[in-house]
Amino acid sequence: MNVELPKRLAERLAGPLPGPEAISRFVDEHRGVLPIDPPADAREAAVLILLYPREGQWHVPLTLRPASLADHAGQISLPGGAVEPGETSAAAAIREFHEELGAADMAVDLIGRLSPRYVMASRFRVEPWVGVAPRRGQLVPDPAEVDELLEV
C-alpha cells in the first residue's frame, strides 16, 4: 500500500481541474453530447470518493442502488445525493456517505474535489469530493438506499 497516495492526490487536486475537456472523453456518443453548462434548474448533488486502508490496500466503497429508487435504480454508484438547502456540497458528500453506509464512526478528511458533472438522466449537477479515512470503520448500509456494498 502506498502510504503517500493521499498526499500525492491532495497535491494534484490542489491544481487546476481539467473540467469539461476530461469529462468529454467519457460521453456516450449514442446518447448525445452532455451540455457543458447544466441548465438553470439543475439539482445540486455531491458524491464522495473515499479511500481507506483495508487488508494492506486502499479501498473505495461503491453502492449497488435498490431497483425501487426513483433516481439511478439498480446502478452502481458512489455514496452521495442531493445538497440540502444551506448545506455545502462538501458537507452533503460526507453526510450522504454516513447516511447511506451507516459509517458514523469513520472520520473523513476531504483532500480535494474533481470537476463537476451534469447527469442528464436525473438532472443533477454532481460535485465529486475525494476524501481519506485513517481506517475502515464499521459500515452498515441503509437497506432503503443500498442493496449491496462493494469495496474495490
Side-chain angles (χ1 to χ4, degrees):
M1 181 172 88
N2 181 351
V3 296
E4 293 293 314
L5 180 62
K7 178 182 170 194
R8 292 181 62 208
L9 284 174
E11 289 169 357
R12 293 290 303 267
L13 292 170
L17 298 172
E21 305 82 45
I23 292 170
S24 67
R25 297 183 308 184
F26 302 100
V27 171
D28 183 345
E29 294 176 13
H30 302 289
R31 294 185 185 203
V33 177
L34 294 176
I36 292 174
D37 294 319
D41 64 344
R43 301 181 296 170
E44 295 295 317
V47 296
L48 179 62
I49 304 164
L50 181 67
L51 293 119
Y52 55 83
R54 181 175 181 209
E55 299 172 357
Q57 296 183 14
W58 290 109
H59 282 73
V60 174
L62 300 174
T63 64
L64 174 61
R65 294 174 56 83
S68 60
L69 293 178
D71 290 321
H72 307 289
Q75 294 181 356
I76 294 176
S77 68
L78 292 162
V83 176
E84 300 289 336
E87 183 179 49
T88 66
S89 66
I94 292 171
R95 175 185 52 77
E96 287 283 347
F97 166 73
H98 285 125
E99 287 177 4
E100 290 179 19
L101 295 180
D105 69 335
M106 284 183 73
V108 175
D109 178 27
L110 293 180
I111 60 172
R113 66 179 183 86
L114 300 175
S115 299
R117 177 168 185 197
Y118 178 61
V119 180
M120 290 172 44
S122 57
R123 303 185 58 78
F124 275 117
R125 180 192 170 275
V126 180
E127 192 159 27
W129 287 90
V130 180
V132 177
R135 62 175 183 81
R136 182 200 188 272
Q138 182 164 354
L139 299 175
V140 183
D142 177 352
E145 298 194 59
V146 178
D147 262 355
E148 186 176 346
L149 170 62
L150 309 168
E151 295 178 272
V152 296

